[in-house]
Amino acid sequence: MEEMEEELKCPVCGSFFREPIILPCSHNICLACARNILVQTPDAESPQSSRASGSAVSDYDYLDLDKMSLYSEADSGYGSYGGFASAPTTPCQKSPNGVRVFPPAVPHPPPPQHHHLLPHPGCLPPIPRNSSITCPQCHRSLILDDRGLRGFPKNRVLEGVVDRYQQSKAAALKCQLCEKSPKEATVMCEQCDVFYCDPCRLRCHPPRGPLAKHRLVPPAQGRISRRASPRKISTCTEHELENLSMYCVQCKTPVCYQCLEEGRHSTHEVKALGAMWKLHKGQLSQALNILSDRATEAKEFLVQLRNMVQHIQENGVEFEACLVAQCDALIDALNRRKTQLLSRVNKEHEHKLKVVRDQISHCTVKLRQTTGLMEYCMEVIKENDPSGFLQISDALIRRVHMTESQWGKGTLTPRMTSDFDLTLDSGPLLQTIHQLDFVQMKVPAAPILQLEECCTQNNSATLSWKQPPLSNIAVDGYILELDDGNGGQFREVYVGTETICTVDGLHFNSTYKARVKAFNASGVSQYSKTLVMQTSETGLPPCDIETIATVAWFTFDPTCAHPDIMFSNDNLTVTCNSYDDRVVMGNTGFSRGVHYWEMIVDRYDNHPDPAFGVARGDVLKDVMLGKDDKAWAMYVDNNRSWFMHNNSHTNRTEGGISKGATVGVLLDLARGILIFLINDEQQGPIAFENMEGLFFPAISLNRNVQVTLHTGLPIPDFYLPGEPEAPGSMC
């Protein structure tokens, strides 16, 4: 109820509506507020054709009213005609609810009047002639007619809603059955017309027996229903003695019979007031239902936004902690590097000191020796014995020259400079630090598999996916993974930028699980939801796998057949242009289940011996089927047949083929056996056993034979498939 309060307040005064009137634009305003914002217009600008009454106007009238609206350049609000004393000259103001309105015009001092001509204090002054009013909400201006504000209908419905709302906001109702201090009422019984508190309701109005059918409502609703007065009969604003009984469809307003006979509604389409009342109530209810749905969506959206606020706060704290951790890691790395560099500086420092100290020690010893030699030579020179001097002078001269030469070989040059030859190149690092910034690259969101575009057919599957609708993170590619069809581990089957992929070579009639993830430079996303699908003969979506049959539809495969094979009938009919036997296989392989297909002999000349059976994908194509170890076959002529595998012939059986004959092949991979039929009769015993792996239907023939393939056939009635012994494996 509190959300409705703004609807019940006047756009001018900001208070609850008092005596609200309906303007032609369908907005409401208090009668007193309407009188306050009246503006007087000149006679020249008030043509009689544009005068409006209190009744609603048509769409064409609104066009005229829009032309009469004046707007102020100063505040973009609506204005009045200038040059008249009655027009306000002050800027427009704002009402308490934010709507821009004009202050009431200051009237001129009235001329002197005699005491007996003064109006009664309770009477309102008359409205000046040629007055106009502008809606404070839509800014449409309207010229009043001679009736003034009385020409606008009163909104009794709004007035009643305001009264009920104000009553519901009054003091709490008390229980009518409490004996001493009445407690606050919690319900009211509409049938008993009594307010109850919870204890009195349980004691005096039990929810069983004859009182169980009474309707209990909240106290506020009960007070409204109790005080609701009978609906008043509305009267016409133009004919005050006439009741409103009809509805003008063109003007969209209630009218009386006199309006239809004499007024401007005489030529308009009218309908019964009660019928239109019910019709508009229904339309309003339907519109409210739609609006209620939108309000529900808005509430859910607000909950989503509030949750988003919480997530933003949590993510902000988490991101801030991550940023601090990253910066601390950089600081730690810088400190470690600083320690390493200081260690190098210390080593260089110790090395320089050692070299200089060693040179000092060496020079000190050498200088001491030189000084001693010099002093010794000086004493020798002082001797006066020539023969004795000459005995040692040559040796002393050589020693002096040798010592002097030793000082001249770089001995007096420092072996180390005092400067450090290390220069720290911190410029690139400082530039990198200054360029350190956030990169708008995040790990992509998990892709969404599009079920409506995913399907399987025979032993292939097509999958399609997309990014979430609100994800704007760049994606470099996708990784599609499938399991082995037997609940095993997932493996990558596609890596690339496409969002659709077809995977071939799957087991027929097997259940696979698929998932996809996205990646970019920042990392790999989470996996999508796992999609379960079953390979089958039809391209049904994964959600329809329960309805898929277990029979296979396939054709001969021209892509892997010998070049001499000739195809027709949509690759269902084959023959050969060579006299030698050539091999052709089907386009579907089997590794699980029980499968049956037939081939009808369309042409059989000169008694050839075609071979029918199954083969691996790498079977030899230029020899009879069964000559190598990659095929298991039955070759047959017009009289008898043999089974052959790896050029080993076994089980000769009487009975051959001719034109129109039917050769059937029954492959039971659950039991691992292969059986052949001719004209719906089993030909010989079980042909081969221990059949495991992936097998393709195959046939070898020459130019004397033409056959047509028939697939999607049920298992013959005579055959009862056994329980599966072991699942097949993919090759």
Side-chain angles (χ1 to χ4, degrees):
M1 289 285 286
E2 294 182 356
E3 288 83 356
M4 184 181 64
E5 187 167 311
E6 290 301 321
E7 294 286 335
L8 308 181
K9 290 184 178 180
C10 175
V12 177
C13 63
S15 302
F16 287 110
F17 282 106
R18 290 176 295 178
E19 297 184 274
I21 59 175
I22 307 174
L23 299 179
C25 57
S26 300
H27 291 128
N28 300 282
I29 189 174
C30 296
L31 181 61
C33 296
R35 181 175 293 275
N36 288 336
I37 64 174
L38 284 177
V39 175
Q40 188 174 359
T41 61
D43 292 340
E45 307 237 3
S46 57
Q48 190 65 25
S49 60
S50 65
R51 293 180 180 270
S53 64
S55 59
V57 295
S58 65
D59 294 338
Y60 298 101
D61 295 327
Y62 280 132
L63 296 176
D64 294 334
L65 296 178
D66 286 338
K67 295 177 181 178
M68 297 166 56
S69 300
L70 299 178
Y71 296 88
S72 168
E73 295 180 359
D75 57 6
S76 299
Y78 55 87
S80 63
Y81 298 93
F84 295 90
S86 61
T89 57
T90 58
C92 62
Q93 302 172 344
K94 283 190 176 180
S95 69
N97 62 353
V99 178
R100 305 172 72 87
V101 298
F102 279 116
V106 180
H108 286 286
Q113 296 182 358
H114 296 288
H115 236 358
H116 65 278
L117 296 178
L118 291 175
H120 190 273
C123 298
L124 294 174
I127 296 176
R129 188 183 176 189
N130 298 334
S131 296
S132 67
I133 187 172
T134 303
C135 176
Q137 289 184 283
C138 65
H139 300 170
R140 284 176 174 165
S141 297
L142 184 69
I143 306 299
L144 273 63
D145 59 12
D146 295 336
R147 294 174 298 163
L149 296 176
R150 291 184 298 104
F152 298 113
K154 295 182 179 180
N155 195 337
R156 282 183 290 272
V157 174
L158 176 58
E159 192 172 7
V161 173
V162 171
D163 291 341
R164 291 196 298 271
Y165 180 78
Q166 289 179 324
Q167 291 172 5
S168 66
K169 299 289 286 185
L173 293 170
K174 301 297 182 180
C175 176
Q176 294 178 281
L177 297 182
C178 292
E179 296 181 356
K180 295 183 179 180
S181 56
K183 299 180 180 179
E184 183 177 346
T186 57
V187 295
M188 173 198 171
C189 177
E190 289 187 338
Q191 284 72 26
C192 302
D193 197 19
V194 175
F195 292 94
Y196 298 94
C197 63
D198 285 336
C200 293
R201 177 178 59 82
L202 295 175
R203 177 170 51 86
C204 304
H205 201 289
R208 59 184 180 275
L211 301 179
K213 296 183 179 181
H214 286 199
R215 184 168 181 261
L216 302 179
V217 297
Q221 182 178 346
R223 170 162 47 187
I224 293 172
S225 61
R226 171 184 282 189
R227 296 187 178 182
S229 58
R231 182 166 56 94
K232 297 179 181 179
I233 300 177
S234 302
T235 57
C236 180
T237 56
E238 297 184 7
H239 311 94
E240 298 180 354
L241 299 180
E242 295 291 337
N243 296 331
L244 297 174
S245 57
M246 302 297 290
Y247 182 83
C248 179
V249 177
Q250 181 175 346
C251 299
K252 299 180 180 180
T253 182
V255 295
C256 65
Y257 279 107
Q258 193 168 350
C259 291
L260 299 179
E261 295 178 357
E262 303 174 359
R264 58 190 178 93
H265 305 282
S266 58
T267 59
H268 296 174
E269 179 186 0
V270 295
K271 292 187 178 180
L273 189 65
M276 293 302 297
W277 178 40
K278 294 181 180 179
L279 176 62
H280 282 204
K281 274 195 171 184
Q283 294 176 351
L284 180 59
S285 298
Q286 293 178 358
L288 282 177
N289 290 334
I290 299 175
L291 185 60
S292 177
D293 294 339
R294 294 294 179 269
T296 302
E297 294 176 2
K299 290 180 180 178
E300 296 174 353
F301 180 66
L302 285 175
V303 172
Q304 179 182 353
L305 291 180
R306 292 189 181 99
N307 293 336
M308 187 179 295
V309 169
Q310 182 178 356
H311 292 161
I312 290 175
Q313 293 175 345
E314 295 174 354
N315 293 339
V317 173
E318 181 181 355
F319 188 78
E320 182 178 348
C322 181
L323 176 62
V324 171
Q326 288 178 320
C327 292
D328 290 342
L330 293 176
I331 294 173
D332 292 341
L334 186 61
N335 287 331
R336 289 193 298 270
R337 189 58 179 167
K338 172 185 173 183
T339 303
Q340 296 173 357
L341 294 175
L342 286 176
S343 176
R344 288 184 57 185
V345 171
N346 290 333
K347 290 181 180 180
E348 183 72 12
H349 174 260
E350 295 296 334
H351 175 67
K352 284 180 177 292
L353 288 178
K354 183 177 181 303
V355 171
V356 172
R357 285 170 180 170
D358 290 345
Q359 191 173 12
I360 290 173
S361 176
H362 177 74
C363 289
T364 301
V365 174
K366 192 69 176 177
L367 181 60
R368 186 183 301 113
Q369 294 174 351
T370 302
T371 302
L373 179 61
M374 290 173 58
E375 291 178 353
Y376 174 68
C377 290
M378 293 290 293
E379 292 298 327
V380 170
I381 292 175
K382 293 179 182 180
E383 290 292 333
N384 295 324
D385 183 6
S387 59
F389 177 81
L390 291 175
Q391 287 179 344
I392 62 174
S393 60
D394 289 336
L396 289 177
I397 292 172
R398 286 195 301 270
R399 285 184 61 188
V400 169
H401 284 300
M402 184 183 304
T403 302
E404 188 274 334
S405 65
Q406 290 176 350
W407 284 108
K409 294 180 180 179
T411 307
L412 300 179
T413 302
R415 298 178 184 175
M416 188 65 65
T417 63
S418 59
D419 296 332
F420 283 80
D421 298 331
L422 302 176
T423 302
L424 183 62
D425 185 13
S426 61
L429 180 59
L430 289 175
Q431 183 179 2
T432 302
I433 292 176
H434 290 311
Q435 293 176 350
L436 187 64
D437 200 353
F438 298 105
V439 178
Q440 298 297 330
M441 178 68 73
K442 297 182 180 179
V443 175
I448 299 175
L449 284 167
Q450 302 187 87
L451 295 179
E452 65 277 5
E453 298 185 14
C454 298
C455 64
T456 60
Q457 186 170 12
N458 289 334
N459 58 342
S460 66
T462 299
L463 297 106
S464 177
W465 58 88
K466 65 179 180 179
Q467 280 297 104
L470 299 180
S471 177
N472 296 321
I473 303 175
V475 175
D476 294 339
Y478 301 92
I479 301 174
L480 177 64
E481 297 182 359
L482 262 71
D483 68 352
D484 60 357
N486 197 28
Q489 294 183 348
F490 283 89
R491 69 192 190 285
E492 293 183 2
V493 296
Y494 171 76
V495 178
T497 59
E498 299 295 331
T499 57
I500 187 170
C501 177
T502 298
V503 183
D504 297 318
L506 304 178
H507 297 298
F508 175 80
N509 196 26
S510 300
T511 301
Y512 286 87
K513 295 180 181 178
R515 64 187 184 184
V516 64
K517 58 184 178 181
F519 65 87
N520 60 14
S522 297
V524 182
S525 73
Q526 298 291 326
Y527 283 106
S528 66
K529 292 184 178 180
T530 301
L531 177 66
V532 179
M533 55 189 178
Q534 180 171 339
T535 53
S536 65
E537 82 289 353
T538 54
L540 294 178
C543 57
D544 293 331
I545 59 176
E546 294 82 358
T547 63
I548 295 176
T550 58
V551 296
W553 299 82
F554 59 92
T555 65
F556 288 116
D557 190 359
T559 62
C560 64
H562 192 279
D564 293 339
I565 297 294
M566 303 171 61
F567 296 84
S568 60
N569 190 24
D570 295 329
N571 298 332
L572 291 173
T573 300
V574 292
T575 185
C576 182
N577 59 10
S578 173
Y579 286 104
D580 297 323
D581 291 310
R582 301 297 186 229
V583 174
V584 58
M585 297 191 301
N587 62 359
T588 299
F590 305 111
S591 60
R592 292 184 178 90
V594 183
H595 310 280
Y596 178 71
W597 61 94
E598 293 178 348
M599 283 164 279
I600 297 179
V601 180
D602 300 328
R603 180 166 50 81
Y604 187 78
D605 301 329
N606 302 322
H607 309 296
D609 46 2
F612 307 85
V614 296
R616 304 292 192 190
D618 55 350
V619 65
L620 295 177
K621 305 295 190 337
D622 55 356
V623 296
M624 178 184 286
L625 192 68
K627 287 286 186 179
D628 61 358
D629 62 348
K630 305 296 184 181
W632 295 256
M634 176 189 73
Y635 69 93
V636 57
D637 58 17
N638 60 324
N639 291 321
R640 61 192 66 84
S641 66
W642 293 264
F643 302 147
M644 184 168 62
H645 170 64
N646 199 16
N647 205 24
S648 174
H649 307 255
T650 60
N651 298 102
R652 171 178 168 175
T653 304
E654 296 299 323
I657 61 173
S658 60
K659 180 180 178 181
T662 300
V663 178
V665 181
L666 176 59
L667 177 63
D668 186 349
L669 292 171
R671 296 171 58 186
I673 62 176
L674 182 64
I675 298 174
F676 295 98
L677 296 86
I678 295 180
N679 295 327
D680 298 329
E681 297 291 338
Q682 183 173 339
Q683 183 73 359
I686 295 176
F688 301 99
E689 297 181 334
N690 301 320
M691 305 286 291
E692 293 183 358
L694 182 64
F695 300 94
F696 292 86
I699 180 177
S700 66
L701 69 164
N702 61 17
R703 64 183 303 166
N704 293 314
V705 182
Q706 176 177 304
V707 299
T708 297
L709 176 66
H710 292 269
T711 62
L713 302 176
I715 306 301
D717 295 336
F718 76 90
Y719 184 75
L720 296 177
E723 294 296 328
E725 298 176 359
S729 60
M730 175 178 287
C731 293

